[in-house]
Amino acid sequence: MNKYINEQIRSFLEEPDMIAALANVSAVISQNYDRLNWAGFYLVKNGELILGPFQGKVACVHIPFDKGVCGKCYRDAKVQRIDDVLAFPGHIACDSASRSELCVPIIVDGQVVAEIDLDSPEKERFTADEENEMIQAAEDIAAAWTEHHWPN
Ligand code: SME
């Protein structure tokens, strides 16, 4: 457990520009968590999930709400910690190296406005502690969303 990651994330959320803030948050996550091949955001926009700031290889730009781990995270408004993505029906492989995934909804006024999405080439990569850190990050991002009047 990295007790500083949430403090670092909160400091970058003082920035009022959404793209700038989320770009730095994606960098903080990828610098603090090892064995990731992707760390970033999907944003809810025009009835689908659209690629946001991230660190990693090129990724799917549009994800429908009924597809993939990210779609399930949106529909259920619940964290998806997937130990083996190959066993997840409908998983979208942006990078065929991905083996586990952690997807956390960012909820503002009861609506999912975005998601934190992390991928790893290692099966069962994500711990319960990291899940809790990303839930805290999502709550801090939701607070910044309201404070800075980001679009939803
Ligand atoms: N694997 C995700 C798609 C996004 S990429 O991992 C960056 C999914 O199944 O929804």
Side-chain angles (χ1 to χ4, degrees):
M1 178 125 173
N2 178 341
K3 66 186 170 118
Y4 299 115
I5 189 169
N6 292 111
E7 284 172 35
Q8 290 177 48
I9 288 171
R10 274 191 289 276
S11 74
F12 287 107
L13 290 170
E14 288 169 19
E15 164 57 47
D17 185 276
M18 181 180 78
I19 299 295
L22 296 183
N24 269 332
V25 172
S26 72
V28 168
I29 296 168
S30 81
Q31 285 168 18
N32 279 273
Y33 289 173
D34 56 12
R35 296 167 286 131
L36 299 188
N37 57 341
W38 204 86
F41 293 93
Y42 278 92
L43 309 173
V44 176
K45 208 169 165 183
N46 301 330
E48 61 176 357
L49 295 158
I50 304 265
L51 183 64
F54 71 96
Q55 311 284 307
K57 287 189 183 174
V58 294
C60 322
V61 177
H62 302 271
I63 299 182
F65 292 149
D66 63 349
K67 294 269 154 50
V69 175
C70 293
K72 174 119 175 91
C73 178
Y74 177 84
R75 292 194 307 279
D76 295 358
K78 289 255 158 58
V79 175
Q80 305 295 314
R81 178 153 60 104
I82 310 297
D83 285 338
D84 179 2
V85 294
L86 300 181
F88 184 95
H91 166 253
I92 301 165
C94 292
D95 179 347
S96 61
S98 296
R99 284 293 173 275
S100 58
E101 180 160 353
L102 179 64
C103 192
V104 180
I106 298 167
I107 300 172
V108 175
D109 295 334
Q111 299 287 324
V112 179
V113 296
E115 298 175 354
I116 302 170
D117 188 36
L118 310 181
D119 289 321
S120 171
E122 203 173 283
K123 249 173 93 174
E124 300 170 17
R125 160 68 187 79
F126 298 101
T127 65
D129 281 346
E130 289 168 338
E131 178 177 332
N132 287 330
E133 287 168 349
M134 290 301 100
I135 290 170
Q136 182 63 58
E139 287 174 7
D140 293 336
I141 293 165
W145 209 285
T146 302
E147 185 190 340
H148 300 313
H149 309 290
W150 292 344
N152 55 350

